Structure formats: structure tokens, C-alpha cells
Amino acid sequence: MDEQKVLSIKGLLDDTPEEYLSHKEKYENSIRKSVLFYKTLHSTEDENMSVDEKTKLNFRNIVTSAIFKDNSPFMLHNSMFIPTIMGQGTDEQREYWMKRAKNMEIIGTYAQTELGHGTFIRGLETQATYDPDTEEFVLHSPVLSSYKWWPGGLAHTANYCIVMARLYIKGKSHGIHPFMVQIRDEETHMPLPGIKLGEIGAKLGFNTVNNGFLGFENHRISRDRMLMKNAQVLKDGTFVAGSNSKLTYGTMVYVRVLIVSNMANMLAKAVTIALRYSAIRRQSQPKPDEPEPQILDYVTQQHKLFIAIASSHAFYMNAMWLWEIYYSVSLQLASGKLDNLPELHALACCLKPLSTIDATAMIEKCRLACGGHGYMLSANLAQTYGLATAAYTYEGENTVLLLQAARSLVKAWVGHVKGRPLKGTMAYLAGDSTVKAWDGSIDGIIQSFKVVAIRKISSVVKILQDYEKSGLSPEDAWNKASVFLTAASEAHGRAVLLSVYKSEMDKRAAVLSPPLRKVLLQLVDLYVTYWALEKVGDMLLYASITDKDVDELQRRYIELLAAIRPNAVGLVDAFDFRDEILNSTLGAYDGRAYERLMEEAMKSPLNAEPVNQTFHKYLKPFMRGKL
Ligand SMILES: CC/C=C\C/C=C\C/C=C\C/C=C\C/C=C\C/C=C\C=C\C(=O)SCCNC(=O)CCNC(=O)[C@H](O)C(C)(C)COP(=O)(O)OP(=O)(O)OC[C@H]1O[C@@H](n2cnc3c(N)ncnc32)[C@H](O)[C@@H]1OP(=O)(O)O
Ligand SMILES: Cc1cc2nc3c(=O)[nH]c(=O)nc-3n(C[C@H](O)[C@H](O)[C@H](O)COP(=O)(O)OP(=O)(O)OC[C@H]3O[C@@H](n4cnc5c(N)ncnc54)[C@H](O)[C@@H]3O)c2cc1C
């Protein structure tokens, strides 16, 4: 399905800007468009799709999110409800539920987070108590904090959801498991008996995603509604544990992988808007006898924006690489081979945080680079920021995920010191961590980032060990050292991002035309040089860079900005976003930003009349002292 067909759907695009709709109208409008969109698309992901097809699906997801300037109330149906059926259902359950879900006969969401718990899954309080007499589970929300809170589409859209609940059998807890629960009548859409539903209210963004709350009052579901691929409850109430309790966390790993490519797309959108605007905007007169220059010719503007282009490329390359790993680990899991799951989890726990941290910061920088017009909602930079910054929190809050990655890094390092071999993306930790002399080449700088990671990991392990020697419990030692544990994870994530971007580009370089290869490798060079300068403190401490080397790096960085400048507009045009997708007065291909700003301004309801009724009602009596 290409953009053209999607965008030609009659009525999909708005005549009234969403900004001027009420909270309720925004939701109703997004449902109208989601239905139009899905009627046309009518396809969702399945496990047999190729990596390329999956990325195209993610592209479609972006198309939808772009069209809505926010996200769709169907978002969770595609990105978590269906993947959970695929990953947690038995063959029979998949057979039955995938048909209904893929045909959009039902709309689902993923209800895990509760009012009282989001990060700590093992603390979730929603109960699923097995009743062997009726072969049913009784779902119950014992206290307010156990209400499901946040799931997208839960409030008024979904009629089914995956509920992550604590399984009790004969009074014994067996941990958190997924349950397929119908929450609304398929004919009337009324909440079923024993089910309380509602919307959680207005948010910074995601205001068309219909995030909701869900409470159960002893609501019964049949035994076959527990998704039993990884663990089972037999009719008599016998619990059969899965091979690894973390397999129930599988959907979250999948979405974390998806988020890395989502950040590539979001950042590409924002920098397309900001860079195109910077090409048409002229301001100031540094040379008295010359016209005002394009603001894109200010090096400070290039510094703000070109890294965003390179970062979008870097995230995309890393996302495709990570997706391949996810895909092969998923196949291994299907055959019961679990030993690569910890590495996948650790990688996702590094790349999801770093891509969301960088993308959020760089999208905001794109807005800031556009002056006042960047502050307009019609520029679509604020909304893009709102979507991106949510990913810092959802699918595993970034700090928590970086600490998860630190668990794996500490374990790998301690094992290495004891002589255990390191493997995969952590193999470099066994490398030489002493840098004799600074090597300013791209590969040399990437190697320095690996040395920084080795040194940060080894030093935080030493801190942990010293705390434990001093008598602290492992948990207290961990908490005390946690700032530097997250720093060690970030250093590892940086090393992975840089080396994968470089190696993936090297693989592709051979098939690129020389001019294209030159430009794309300039972006790799810019990315590596930018981060070496951003992390110059680490380089000075661990990678024996000298002040002379830093001076050289700075000059190289400035030269790279100048080299990229002639191709900058072409590089964002190459992202190939149509105007309707950018949905931005500043980013349109024709560069008519001023005309579009005025056109959008005139759509404000306030401009429908020259004098607003409040003049006669309030202002005039006020100004006449008669109020
Ligand atoms: C029309 C529109 C169509 C489509 C959509 C449009 C647009 C979308 C576009 C793109 C999609 C991209 C994104 C959007 C999709 C969704 C986002 C929207 C909604 C968001 C949803 C959510 O947020 S769902 C809820 C997410 N919640 C979390 O992630 C909770 C985070 N917490 C945890 O994961 C866990 O609590 C914990 C890992 C922090 C701790 O777990 P715990 O059980 O307590 O474990 P520990 O005791 O700490 O032990 C840790 C050991 O367990 C191993 N482990 C942990 N997790 C995993 C795992 N997942 N896999 C494997 N192993 C795991 C860990 O390695 C430790 O092992 P040790 O050996 O060290 O012991
Ligand atoms: C836009 C949006 C959409 C969402 N959609 C869904 C959805 O569809 N389905 C769903 O189930 N959930 C959804 N969520 C919820 C999301 O998954 C949670 O918000 C997230 O897991 C964080 O949990 P929390 O909000 O309870 O924050 P908490 O876990 O309470 O964290 C709050 C703060 O405490 C810190 N903290 C917590 N634990 C630790 C720790 N162990 N060590 C150090 N610091 C810690 C965190 O770093 C964070 O800074 C959504 C959230 C957002 C923002």
C-alpha cells in the first residue's frame, strides 16, 4: 500500500485543523479517519512477514500517526494486541483470535499498567483467580491502585483487551500472565457486567489514542481465555509453568525494537520540516551590502539540524539490525532455545532509551531552530515532540531499562574477569581498554567509545564490589551505584549505535553510486565526530585524546557541516515525506511557508468574525467602567 493510495482516501485529511476541535471531537474525528484508513489498508503484521514488509507496516503506522498529527485509537490493536496473540497464544488461540483481529472484526488493546504500577510488573494487583468448579477465571480489581490505567484505545474504542493479571490458584500466586478479555458487548459496545471503563483525561500528546482505565468486579472468563503458549492452567487447576517466566514479557521486547525505527521516522519528519523551513527563511544581514541569507547558511543552524539527519539514518540502520536479531531470536524461542533472549533484552534496553532520548532532544531542537513559527501547532513540530517524548516513558521507562541493561553488562564483566567467554554485542568488553594514542579516524573514534564503555563498566563493578565489601547488601549497593550503572549502559549503547551505523553503512556502500556513497559516509563521519565532541570528557579521561586532537576534531566537524550543506535539502527530500504526511505549514515541499501559515491562521474559528462577542459582553462595559 503506498502513500498515494492512503492519502487519496476521501475524507481522510482534515479541513478543520485538529487544533480547533474539542477533546471529544478530536477523538471522534480520529475514529472516523481510522476506520477510513483501515478499510483501505486492511492488513496487519503477521509472523511470516519479511523484515522489509514489517518495516513497511511500521511506515504505515507512521502514515496513520502522521495523518492524525497524533496517533490512532487503533494504535495498540496493531502494535501490541496482535503481537501478544501471536507471541503468547497457543496455535488454536492464534488461529481463532488472529482471524478476528486481522479482519478488524474486533478491536483490542494491551492492558498491563495499573494506576499503582507501571514499571514493576511483578507488583501488578489485578487478580485472575481460577475456579476449577466452573473452569473459569475470576478477574477482580481489589483496590483502586489495581485499576488498569493508560492502555491506548481502552476507554471507548476497544471491545477486547489483553489483560496482564496475577494468576491465583487455590490461594497461591503463580505470577503475571496474559488473558484475553472481552470488555464491551459486540453489538451495543456497552461495558460488560463487572467491568468499569473510562478515559484517563487530556495529556501532553497522544490525545486521540483514547487511553483509558479498566476495573473488574469479579468478572468471569472461561479457562481458554488465558493465553497459554508459555504457561498453562489445566482444567483441574494444575499450573504448568513455562520454560522462562520472562517469556510473558515478549511483547514489550517487540515494541521496544519497533520504537527504534519509529524514532528514526519521527526524527526524519521533524528535521525535514525544520531544514526545509531553514532553506526558505531569510533573516539578518551579516554583510551590509548583501541580501539576508538563508538561515540554513548559519553554521549554528547546521549544527542544530544536520546531526538530526545523521541520527535518523543511524537509528534506522540500528533498527533494521536489531529487528534481524529479534526475528532470529523469536524463531529460536519457538523451538525452545532461550539462550539468546538475555542479549536481545539487553540490546533493546539500551537502544530504546538512547534512540528516544536523542530523538526527543533533537526534535525539540528542530522546533527551536524555527523561531516563532516553530512554536505554531500548524508547524507540527510540537505534536511530533509530544509523540516522541511519550516513548521515553512507555514500553519501559528509560531509566529502568538502562538499569536492566546494566544487569547484563555487570554480569558479563564479572563473568569475563572469572574467565568466562563474552559473546555477541558484548564481546568487545574483552578488548584492550588502554588507548596508547588517540586515533581520530572513524574506526578509531568508535574504538574509543568501546574503551569508554569498558572502563565505565569495569569501574562501576568495582564501586559495587567495594560497597558490598563495606557491608552493604547487593540491593543497597546497586541502588547507591545506580547513576553510574545507567552511565555505563549509555556508554555501551553509544558504542553499539556508532559501530552498527558504521558497519551497516559499510555493507551498503559498495552498491551505492560514488556521489551518494560520499554524502552518506559524510553523515557517518558527522555522527561519529559529533558524539566524540559531545563526550569529549570521556574521551579525555579514557581515550587519551589531547587538546590538539580536540582542536582537530572541532575543525573537522566544521568542515563536515560545510561539506553537507549543499546536499542538506536533498537529504531531507530523500526521506520522501509527502506534504500531507508532514502536515506542516513550514515543511511543505513548495516552500510556501508564509502563505500556508496565513491559510492555517484563517482557519481559526476566531477569524470567522472581526469582532468577538465578548467585546460587547465584557470588554466594552469594562473599558467604560460599567462592569
Ligand atoms: C492506525 C495505527 C496503527 C498502528 C500504530 C501507529 C503507530 C505506532 C508506530 C510505531 C509503534 C511503536 C510504538 C508504539 C507502540 C506502543 C506504545 C504505546 C503504548 C505503550 C504501551 C506500554 O507501555 S505497555 C506497558 C510497558 N511496560 C513495561 O515495559 C514495564 C517495564 N518493566 C519491566 O519490563 C519489568 O518490570 C522489569 C524488566 C523492569 C523487571 O522485571 P522483573 O520481572 O521484576 O525482573 P527482575 O526480577 O528485575 O529480573 C530481571 C531478570 O529478568 C530478565 N528480564 C527482564 N525482562 C525481560 C524480558 N523482557 N525478556 C527477557 N528477560 C527479561 C532480566 O534480563 C533479568 O535477568 P537476570 O539474569 O539478570 O536475572
Ligand atoms: C503515552 C503513553 C501510552 C501508554 N500506553 C500504555 C498501554 O497502551 N498499555 C499499558 O499497559 N501501559 C501504557 N502506558 C504506561 C507505561 O507503560 C508506563 O507509564 C511506564 O511503564 C512507566 O510506569 P509508571 O508510569 O508507573 O512510572 P513508574 O514506574 O512509577 O516510574 C516513575 C519514575 O520512577 C522511576 N523508577 C521506577 N522504578 C525504578 C527503579 N526500579 N529504579 C529506578 N527508578 C525507578 C522511573 O525511572 C520513573 O522516573 C503508556 C504510557 C504513556 C505515557
Side-chain angles (χ1 to χ4, degrees):
M1 165 69 67
D2 66 12
E3 261 176 47
Q4 180 54 42
K5 182 148 189 196
V6 170
L7 296 169
S8 62
I9 302 168
K10 193 168 170 354
L12 192 58
L13 301 177
D14 292 319
D15 34 28
T16 311
E18 283 190 357
E19 290 84 33
Y20 299 117
L21 299 178
S22 71
H23 183 65
K24 186 165 175 282
E25 287 166 336
K26 280 177 187 167
Y27 168 68
E28 291 162 350
N29 189 41
S30 69
I31 285 289
R32 178 186 65 79
K33 296 194 294 186
S34 297
V35 166
L36 276 173
F37 177 70
Y38 267 76
K39 205 170 68 168
T40 309
L41 256 198
H42 204 72
S43 80
T44 51
E45 181 173 345
D46 71 57
E47 60 184 7
N48 304 316
M49 282 174 98
S50 71
V51 174
D52 185 43
E53 285 163 335
K54 286 179 187 286
T55 51
K56 281 201 187 91
L57 177 87
N58 186 29
F59 157 73
R60 287 183 204 139
N61 295 341
I62 303 315
V63 167
T64 50
S65 57
I67 286 172
F68 300 111
K69 254 190 184 168
D70 197 323
N71 254 316
S72 159
F74 294 3
M75 175 181 187
L76 268 294
H77 178 83
N78 244 17
S79 45
M80 295 198 81
F81 181 68
I82 285 179
T84 305
I85 298 169
M86 292 297 292
Q88 313 282 330
T90 62
D91 291 346
E92 297 75 20
Q93 289 173 324
R94 282 166 45 169
E95 176 69 28
Y96 177 76
W97 290 108
M98 277 306 289
K99 189 170 105 13
R100 297 205 75 200
K102 283 183 76 170
N103 294 338
M104 302 300 282
E105 292 166 27
I106 60 173
I107 296 177
T109 185
Y110 180 87
Q112 174 174 297
T113 302
E114 295 172 355
L115 202 51
H117 288 93
T119 288
F120 187 47
I121 297 176
R122 287 187 293 121
L124 293 174
E125 298 171 282
T126 298
Q127 299 167 353
T129 306
Y130 186 63
D131 179 349
D133 298 338
T134 62
E135 295 181 19
E136 292 172 318
F137 294 103
V138 181
L139 295 176
H140 188 59
S141 306
V143 290
L144 179 62
S145 60
S146 61
Y147 270 54
K148 293 301 178 185
W149 187 277
W150 270 112
L154 180 64
H156 301 87
T157 313
N159 50 9
Y160 284 79
C161 73
I162 303 291
V163 173
M164 299 297 278
R166 178 176 300 286
L167 171 63
Y168 287 96
I169 303 173
K170 301 188 185 84
K172 181 173 186 294
S173 165
H174 291 277
I176 305 299
H177 296 277
F179 297 83
M180 172 67 76
V181 185
Q182 181 178 354
I183 51 178
R184 289 180 179 270
D185 182 286
E186 290 194 29
E187 283 311 308
T188 66
H189 209 52
M190 282 296 288
L192 295 183
I195 286 184
K196 284 179 215 146
L197 287 167
E199 202 237 352
I200 65 172
K203 304 170 290 282
L204 183 156
F206 265 64
N207 278 300
T208 58
V209 171
N210 197 230
N211 301 91
F213 64 76
L214 160 64
F216 293 108
E217 189 63 45
N218 296 314
H219 178 75
R220 286 178 171 266
I221 58 172
S222 58
R223 185 175 70 90
D224 66 357
R225 291 297 173 90
M226 176 176 160
L227 298 184
M228 294 203 201
K229 178 180 175 184
N230 295 314
Q232 296 83 38
V233 174
L234 308 184
K235 286 183 181 177
D236 65 358
T238 304
F239 176 68
V240 180
S243 54
N244 178 330
S245 66
K246 306 307 175 194
L247 290 173
T248 52
Y249 294 2
T251 305
M252 290 176 276
V253 181
Y254 161 76
V255 178
R256 290 166 191 159
V257 173
L258 203 59
I259 287 170
V260 182
S261 65
N262 197 221
M263 290 302 113
N265 278 287
M266 299 258 242
L267 188 50
K269 229 174 98 175
V271 72
T272 299
I273 294 168
L275 201 129
R276 282 181 176 168
Y277 177 66
S278 301
I280 61 109
R281 179 72 168 181
R282 291 177 176 276
Q283 199 66 205
S284 306
Q285 197 170 32
K287 296 176 184 171
D289 54 350
E290 289 192 14
E292 292 183 72
Q294 294 162 290
I295 57 174
L296 190 54
D297 285 329
Y298 292 118
V299 177
T300 49
Q301 193 79 353
Q302 296 165 14
H303 173 60
K304 292 170 193 172
L305 299 180
F306 292 2
I307 186 58
I309 302 173
S311 299
S312 178
H313 287 210
F315 298 158
Y316 190 79
M317 296 293 169
N318 275 268
M320 294 305 105
W321 169 81
L322 183 58
W323 189 277
E324 289 289 347
I325 294 171
Y326 171 83
Y327 204 55
S328 65
V329 170
S330 302
L331 295 177
Q332 292 162 27
L333 293 179
S335 59
K337 193 169 169 291
L338 302 176
D339 47 13
N340 290 322
L341 179 59
E343 161 138 33
L344 171 63
H345 171 55
L347 271 175
C349 284
C350 266
L351 295 184
K352 181 268 187 185
L354 288 189
S355 61
T356 53
I357 290 166
D358 289 358
T360 303
M362 289 176 189
I363 290 167
E364 173 62 350
K365 210 181 279 182
C366 285
R367 178 187 74 78
L368 294 170
C370 295
H373 300 330
Y375 195 68
M376 295 297 295
L377 288 179
S378 69
N380 199 13
L381 287 167
Q383 296 91 324
T384 306
Y385 172 83
L387 290 178
T389 194
Y392 188 104
T393 305
Y394 65 54
E395 226 50 68
E397 196 276 338
N398 283 352
T399 306
V400 169
L401 295 188
L402 288 171
L403 288 169
Q404 279 292 304
R407 278 180 78 123
S408 302
L409 291 164
V410 166
K411 198 186 276 187
W413 182 259
V414 170
H416 163 61
V417 168
K418 290 176 180 165
R420 275 203 299 273
L422 288 162
K423 62 174 189 169
T425 49
M426 294 185 191
Y428 76 90
L429 296 179
D432 180 1
S433 65
T434 51
V435 178
K436 281 100 189 139
W438 172 256
D439 170 359
S441 69
I442 295 182
D443 290 331
I445 294 173
I446 291 171
Q447 178 54 32
S448 294
F449 271 90
K450 291 178 178 176
V451 167
V452 169
I454 295 170
R455 298 289 293 278
K456 286 194 172 186
I457 293 161
S458 56
S459 64
V460 77
V461 167
K462 178 80 173 57
I463 292 172
L464 281 172
Q465 290 167 344
D466 290 349
Y467 280 144
E468 288 190 38
K469 275 188 203 128
S470 72
L472 277 187
S473 70
E475 294 78 11
D476 288 341
W478 182 268
N479 187 34
K480 222 172 156 80
S482 53
V483 168
F484 300 103
L485 285 164
T486 54
S489 293
E490 193 216 337
H492 172 65
R494 289 273 163 235
V496 170
L497 273 170
L498 287 158
S499 48
V500 168
Y501 180 24
K502 171 69 168 49
S503 60
E504 291 298 303
M505 275 310 297
D506 286 347
K507 278 185 212 164
R508 291 163 172 77
V511 297
L512 300 174
S513 67
L516 182 58
R517 182 186 312 134
K518 179 166 178 272
V519 176
L520 294 184
L521 292 182
Q522 280 171 346
L523 286 176
V524 177
D525 199 343
L526 181 88
Y527 189 76
V528 173
T529 310
Y530 174 92
W531 281 107
L533 290 169
E534 284 291 300
K535 298 291 179 183
V536 70
D538 291 338
M539 296 297 149
L540 286 164
L541 199 54
Y542 300 118
S544 66
I545 192 172
T546 66
D547 53 352
K548 184 172 169 298
D549 299 323
V550 173
D551 185 68
E552 268 173 38
L553 263 188
Q554 287 168 341
R555 293 167 193 270
R556 176 161 122 198
Y557 180 73
I558 294 166
E559 290 314 314
L560 280 165
L561 293 176
I564 290 166
R565 169 65 185 91
N567 294 303
V569 174
L571 281 166
V572 297
D573 286 351
F575 287 129
D576 199 19
F577 286 109
R578 290 173 58 93
D579 288 350
E580 299 89 342
I581 303 295
L582 289 177
N583 228 328
S584 167
T585 45
L586 305 189
Y589 187 75
D590 63 11
R592 294 173 60 251
Y594 298 149
E595 293 82 351
R596 291 169 189 275
L597 281 165
M598 182 53 80
E599 281 158 25
E600 285 304 301
M602 292 319 292
K603 291 178 186 172
S604 165
L606 279 172
N607 286 331
E609 57 204 354
V611 178
N612 182 271
Q613 49 96 15
T614 50
F615 172 75
H616 299 287
K617 199 169 171 184
Y618 300 109
L619 281 177
K620 186 173 181 181
F622 172 68
M623 290 190 284
R624 300 279 190 281
K626 293 179 181 138
L627 198 61

